[in-house]
Amino acid sequence: MGCKKIVEDQIKIAKDSKQYKGPKKVLILGASSGYGLATRISLAFGGSKSDTIGVSFEKEGTEKKVGSAGWYNNIWFKEAAEKEGLIAKNFIGDAFSHEMRKEVLEYIKDEFGGKIDLLVYSVASGVRQDPDTGIVHRSCIKPINEEFGGYTLNIQKEEIEYMSVESATEEEIANTVKVMGGEDWSHWVKTLVDEDVCNEGFKSVAYSYIGGDITRAVYRDGTIGQAKEHLEQTAVELNTLVSEKLGGEVYTSVNRAITTKASAFIPCFSIYASVLFKVMAEQGKEEPCMEHTHRLLADMIYGDSPNFDAQGRMRPDSWELTDEIQEKSVNIYNDITEENFKELCDFKLYKKYFMNLNGFEADGVDYDSDVDLEWLSTLRP
């Protein structure tokens, strides 16, 4: 029920924010939380009235265990969208597989009007099985050519802990690129184009991240950074294909730092994010995931203020990376200790964002009240 309230709150933000005209038929890979869910909500309720297909890998609840937060996010989004006459189709399964591509293609052709206007790639996974070889690849979050260490937030204990990570091997780098790079995105775009299910002017956007100097060694200069560079290079190749065949565009969007379930495993990232939240709030530029995503879509992708860099990447993260915000963040970060971190960073906000990801600490929800599990089990995404 916490997930229901959080989805409703995000829908309200989209409805109350700047309205824009965008795509009518959209496919979102990785649609059940974070940037993917925010994108879906903005497109459906932010003026475009988009019909959407969402693909995500989530777990249904059992008699012994509650389902994943994304499972319920999918349910509540679908319920809200259908109340407004919109199509909200959910596919639950492995977005990396040929079988999933086949299922989605058949649905687009048979029940979704035959063609789509936008593909958003927001898949976040630590594991990928190559659909051709069957080999399972596992990504890792490690620096390259050096060991790296830093404090990270332990939300449960409400303290910070030092974490160090050894340098990645060549195999670990290659596996991370295989999982988190642009190969799967390329498979999807090329399949959609080859199967003639894309409208003229078709767009595809994949979400990326760069960050500042604090996280550079373990993120952008590390294994994940190698994967993101591959993703961004893939965008250039796909843009040539799509622009020639459909007069469309393909690019990456470099989004701002947000709280994620994986961030606890990246040394220094959670501390950096909690410092950043405080500094950006002081500057009047703190944007939760929903607001940031809506600005990206309303002002840039489907607005009149696109912000591309020299490499052709969309840059809504420009607020995060201003010299003033980065300098203040670095100064605070360097002064943080185990004793003063709650005063110097916005731990409460970071924790709230993290808990919200999992359906907790939603405003106005009585978590002590009973839930009819039999009724809940009848709801399907």
Side-chain angles (χ1 to χ4, degrees):
M1 303 314 295
C3 290
K4 187 175 193 292
K5 181 60 164 57
I6 291 165
V7 168
E8 290 171 349
D9 289 346
Q10 289 180 311
I11 289 172
K12 186 176 188 305
I13 290 169
K15 288 184 173 182
D16 291 347
S17 300
K18 176 182 177 180
Q19 302 294 282
Y20 61 96
K21 292 183 179 179
K24 292 303 179 185
K25 301 288 184 178
V26 180
L27 169 60
I28 302 173
L29 306 174
S32 58
S33 65
Y35 279 123
L37 176 61
T39 300
R40 199 176 189 190
I41 289 172
S42 176
L43 289 168
F45 299 99
S48 290
K49 301 295 183 184
S50 303
D51 292 325
T52 59
I53 301 170
V55 179
S56 56
F57 189 84
E58 299 296 344
K59 295 290 187 179
E60 182 178 4
T62 67
E63 290 183 359
K64 295 182 178 180
K65 188 175 182 180
V66 71
S68 58
W71 175 267
Y72 300 109
N73 289 338
N74 283 334
I75 288 173
W76 306 128
F77 172 83
K78 178 182 177 70
E79 179 181 83
E82 290 182 344
K83 281 182 179 178
E84 304 213 0
L86 303 175
I87 298 172
K89 174 66 175 177
N90 290 308
F91 287 90
I92 309 297
D94 182 6
F96 298 133
S97 68
H98 291 319
E99 291 76 15
M100 180 58 75
R101 271 187 284 277
K102 182 179 178 181
E103 283 187 52
V104 172
L105 275 170
E106 289 176 351
Y107 178 79
I108 292 172
K109 291 178 179 179
D110 297 341
E111 300 182 54
F112 202 60
K115 293 181 185 288
I116 63 172
D117 304 301
L118 172 68
L119 166 66
V120 176
Y121 194 85
S122 186
V123 176
S125 174
V127 181
R128 176 183 175 223
Q129 182 176 36
D130 188 299
D132 296 318
T133 67
I135 296 173
V136 176
H137 300 271
R138 299 184 184 278
S139 65
C140 67
I141 303 168
K142 289 186 175 182
I144 297 174
N145 298 325
E146 62 179 337
E147 183 177 310
F148 180 82
Y151 283 109
T152 189
L153 291 172
N154 184 319
I155 293 178
Q156 185 174 8
K157 295 181 179 179
E158 296 202 358
E159 60 188 31
I160 60 174
E161 300 170 342
Y162 188 82
M163 179 187 295
S164 62
V165 184
E166 62 184 8
S167 177
T169 65
E170 289 300 319
E171 182 180 8
E172 287 174 325
I173 296 171
N175 279 331
T176 303
V177 172
K178 189 79 173 179
V179 175
M180 304 180 72
E183 186 175 88
D184 182 61
W185 183 30
S186 180
H187 284 337
W188 275 97
V189 173
K190 289 178 179 178
T191 300
L192 294 169
V193 172
D194 289 345
E195 292 288 332
D196 192 27
V197 295
C198 302
N199 278 316
E200 285 293 318
F202 167 81
K203 292 178 185 284
S204 185
V205 181
Y207 292 146
S208 187
Y209 181 69
I210 291 178
D213 290 338
I214 294 173
T215 61
R216 187 174 304 281
V218 73
Y219 199 99
R220 193 65 192 192
D221 290 346
T223 53
I224 298 182
Q226 292 285 302
K228 295 301 184 184
E229 286 183 11
H230 185 272
L231 185 77
E232 291 158 10
Q233 291 165 5
T234 301
V236 176
E237 299 167 7
L238 293 176
N239 186 60
T240 299
L241 169 70
V242 169
S243 62
E244 289 178 353
K245 290 202 170 186
L246 298 165
E249 296 178 286
V250 177
Y251 48 81
T252 56
S253 172
V254 184
N255 296 352
R256 63 154 292 172
I258 60 170
T259 305
T260 68
K261 295 176 183 179
S263 64
F265 302 100
I266 306 176
C268 86
F269 187 88
S270 56
I271 297 289
Y272 165 70
S274 61
V275 170
L276 179 71
F277 298 160
K278 182 177 182 178
V279 173
M280 292 190 74
E282 291 171 351
Q283 300 289 318
K285 291 190 174 182
E286 169 54 20
E287 287 181 310
C289 179
M290 185 64 231
E291 287 87 339
H292 180 79
T293 306
H294 190 81
R295 178 169 66 88
L296 165 66
L297 290 160
D299 292 351
M300 297 185 184
I301 296 178
Y302 292 102
D304 55 7
S305 302
N307 181 17
F308 287 103
D309 63 16
Q311 287 74 45
R313 303 172 296 197
M314 190 75 80
R315 298 303 298 270
D317 67 331
S318 59
W319 290 8
E320 173 184 345
L321 296 184
T322 62
D323 291 341
E324 182 180 8
I325 285 176
Q326 284 299 306
E327 183 178 346
K328 287 186 176 181
S329 297
V330 169
N331 290 338
I332 294 173
Y333 178 85
N334 289 336
D335 289 336
I336 284 179
T337 66
E338 295 179 20
E339 290 73 33
N340 67 13
F341 76 96
K342 286 188 178 180
E343 288 72 46
L344 295 185
C345 68
D346 199 333
F347 173 77
K348 287 184 178 180
L349 185 57
Y350 182 91
K351 181 182 178 182
K352 181 174 177 59
Y353 286 163
F354 185 86
M355 297 300 284
N356 284 174
L357 280 174
N358 298 281
F360 296 102
E361 293 193 9
D363 296 334
V365 173
D366 180 4
Y367 287 94
D368 292 326
S369 62
D370 292 334
V371 175
D372 184 346
L373 296 182
E374 186 175 344
W375 162 75
L376 195 61
S377 67
T378 64
L379 302 178
R380 312 301 301 175

